[in-house]
């Protein structure tokens, strides 16, 4: 029997109430998704469709086609993306880029095989390793010492891994990474193909790169020789959260094998409303994409110009940077990233990521000039109300570059406190989120530096998947 009294208690306030209250504060979104709210769809002429969203929640009725055997309306949407990105085949994804990444790994690396992967890959790649019993070979990204974060993966590092592991079947790396730093995909693809391997690029954070001038943003991996490219259109473009597109660019991938792997792990009840927003996004980009990208670029150029006038404000500036990601550092005023995030949230401005002294504002196709104006106004306010300091603020530890000792993945496991985990073998991935990059993977031996970093993240309220609220982690049972 349902306890009706529960509805009158404090427990009544759940997710719906939070979302309703959040929307009422007129928030500025510098986080995903890229559409930034209903106003974008209204401006594009799709407001009525979005209002009628629930009536679009159907199943595979006659005429609605089937995601796993697309022959009609879904196929037409796929063709729109093939035209937009100039690729051989596009697949719609409704379980996010993660499902495309997993399918790409399983389709290109045989069970028990070996794959070269950047150590700062998303956790979905590590999940694919488990599913396919794949042995990873880690390519270590460079460290951006000025900012204390991980940067690009160099061609030389990929070549080293390829030459030392000629039996590896494929290479996968993120480009751009969470901060917007891209690797030299053109050079890497040449080396990968010279050895007859497959290159998969996790371009989840760069679905928009195809549409920007290459003298302003790095080029899209579809143009640079990658075989498989996964794009989270929801992150920066106009589709809903959880939607993405997988692009097959060459003949290096067997489409029959890929489709078989994809249908095995993607939902058998794909959301038609989500797929509809993929179709809407494709139409918007085909019909108005040039105009929208030009406006986006103009707003960003205005922001960069105004930001340059604020003494002490530092914007990350490094080679091969996707400049739609605004990595802002106000530590000159004694504000680390967490403090700056709180300052902005008090002004209803919400950022995507905090990393050490920086906050990362993820701009998207739905941001308008007033969003950038409110951000600049807040940063000016901070600079005018606080004094600059000579104090040296901390930078995030680049612990992901550590080569942890590796042992076999434990079959039996137990939960132990962080204080007792040093020297124990990790049994469940430990993943700070965001950015979703494992700091320790099953089979790696936990050491003091990694555990100290995990503890510091949890003590500052950061989410770390694999660490309980009691500060316990799963390790191999002794």
């Amino acid at each position: 029997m349902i306890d009706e009294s529960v509805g009158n208690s404090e427990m009544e306030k759940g997710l719906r109430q939070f979302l309703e209250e959040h929307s009422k504060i007129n928030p500025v979104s510098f986080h995903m998704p890229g559409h930034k709210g209903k106003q974008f769809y209204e401006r594009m002429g799709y407001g009525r469709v979005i209002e009628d969203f629930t009536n679009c929640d159907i199943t595979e009725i006659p005429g609605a086609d089937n995601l796993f055997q697309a022959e009609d309306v879904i196929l037409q949407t796929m063709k729109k993306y093939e035209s937009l990105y100039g690729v051989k085949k596009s697949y719609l994804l409704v379980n996010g880029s993660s499902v495309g990444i997993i399918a790409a790994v399983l389709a290109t690396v045989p069970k028990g095989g070996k794959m070269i992967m950047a150590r700062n890959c998303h956790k979905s790649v590590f999940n694919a390793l488990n599913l396919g019993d794949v042995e990873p070979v880690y390519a270590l990204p460079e460290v951006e010492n000025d900012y204390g974060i991980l940067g690009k993966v160099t061609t030389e590092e990929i070549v080293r891994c390829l030459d030392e592991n000629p039996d590896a079947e494929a290479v996968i790396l993120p480009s751009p990474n969470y901060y917007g730093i891209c690797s030299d995909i053109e050079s890497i693809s040449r080396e990968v193909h010279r050895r007859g391997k497959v290159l998969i690029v996790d371009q989840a954070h760069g679905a928009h790169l195809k549409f920007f001038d290459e003298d302003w943003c790095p080029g899209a991996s579809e143009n640079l020789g990658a075989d498989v490219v996964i794009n989270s259109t929801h992150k920066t473009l106009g589709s809903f959260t959880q939607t993405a597109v997988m692009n097959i660019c060459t003949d290096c991938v067997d489409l029959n094998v890929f489709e078989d792997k994809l249908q095995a792990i993607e939902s058998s009840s794909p959301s038609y409303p989500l797929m509809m927003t993929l179709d809407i996004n494709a139409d918007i980009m085909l019909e108005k994409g040039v105009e929208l990208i030009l406006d986006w670029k103009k707003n960003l150029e205005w922001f960069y110009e105004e930001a340059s006038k604020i003494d002490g404000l530092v914007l990350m500036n490094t080679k091969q940077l996707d400049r739609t990601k605004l990595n802002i550092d106000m530590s000159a005023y004694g504000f680390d990233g967490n403090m700056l995030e709180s300052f902005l949230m008090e002004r209803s401005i919400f950022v995507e990521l905090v990393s050490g002294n920086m906050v990362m504002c993820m701009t998207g196709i739905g941001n308008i000039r007033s969003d950038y104006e409110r951000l600049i106004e807040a940063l000016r306010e901070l600079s005018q109300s606080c004094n600059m300091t000579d104090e040296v603020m901390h930078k995030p530890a680049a612990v992901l570059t550590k080569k942890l000792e590796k042992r076999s993945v434990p079959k039996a496991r137990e939960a132990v406190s962080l204080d007792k985990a040093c020297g124990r073998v990790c049994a469940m991935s430990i993943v700070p989120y965001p950015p979703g990059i494992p700091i320790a993977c099953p089979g790696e031996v936990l050491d003091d530096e990694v555990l100290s970093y995990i503890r510091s993240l949890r003590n500052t309220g950061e989410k770390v998947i694999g660490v309980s609220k009691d500060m316990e982690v799963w390790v191999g049972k002794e």
Side-chain angles (χ1 to χ4, degrees), residues 82-97:
E82 290 161 16
S83 175
L84 280 168
Y85 285 97
V87 295
K88 176 183 176 184
K89 187 84 171 180
S90 292
Y91 293 90
L92 310 185
L93 306 174
V94 291
N95 291 78
S97 283

Side-chain angles (χ1 to χ4, degrees), residues 107-304:
T108 56
V109 183
K111 191 172 181 65
K114 187 184 290 186
M115 179 179 68
I116 294 165
M117 59 177 288
R119 182 58 182 82
N120 63 332
C121 277
H122 185 259
K123 69 189 186 80
S124 57
V125 180
F126 293 87
N127 291 336
L129 300 182
N130 292 333
L131 290 172
D133 192 24
V134 174
E135 179 186 346
V137 175
Y138 294 135
L140 300 180
E142 290 186 333
V143 177
E144 292 283 338
N145 290 314
D146 289 343
Y147 311 104
I149 62 171
L150 299 182
K152 67 180 181 181
V153 180
T154 66
T155 305
E156 292 74 20
E157 175 68 357
I158 295 297
V159 167
R160 179 189 68 79
C161 293
L162 286 166
D163 289 347
E164 292 178 2
N165 300 273
D167 53 340
E169 302 283 346
V171 174
I172 186 168
L173 70 157
S175 183
N177 65 14
Y178 215 132
Y179 306 97
I181 300 172
C182 295
S183 297
D184 188 347
I185 298 301
E186 188 170 22
S187 173
I188 289 172
S189 67
R190 283 197 298 268
E191 297 296 338
V192 170
H193 293 151
R194 187 173 292 144
R195 294 161 176 78
K197 313 301 181 182
V198 177
L199 177 60
I200 305 165
V201 177
D202 171 5
Q203 195 173 261
H205 288 269
H208 56 288
L209 293 181
K210 178 73 176 181
F211 313 108
F212 272 86
D213 296 334
E214 290 189 16
D215 61 348
W216 208 82
C217 274
S221 295
E222 288 89 349
N223 295 347
L224 301 175
D227 300 298
V228 183
V229 183
I230 303 97
N231 297 280
S232 280
T233 51
H234 77 88
K235 282 182 169 63
T236 54
L237 297 181
S239 60
F240 269 28
T241 297
Q242 204 173 309
T243 58
V245 175
M246 162 84 78
N247 288 328
I248 308 297
C249 309
T250 70
D251 294 323
C252 290
V253 179
D254 187 323
L255 297 183
N256 292 321
V257 174
F258 171 73
E259 290 173 7
D260 178 63
K261 300 301 183 185
L262 184 58
Q263 65 81 28
I265 56 178
E266 194 164 23
S267 172
S268 60
S269 300
S271 165
Y272 272 83
L274 290 183
M275 289 190 287
M276 178 183 70
T277 69
L278 278 167
D279 192 56
I280 290 173
N281 177 65
D283 285 342
I284 288 173
M285 294 307 298
L286 287 167
E287 297 167 10
K288 304 177 182 178
V290 173
E291 174 188 343
L292 287 168
I293 296 297
L294 182 59
D295 286 345
W296 191 355
K297 180 181 174 182
K298 285 180 178 177
N299 287 333
L300 285 165
E301 288 175 334
W302 177 88
F303 175 85
Y304 278 103

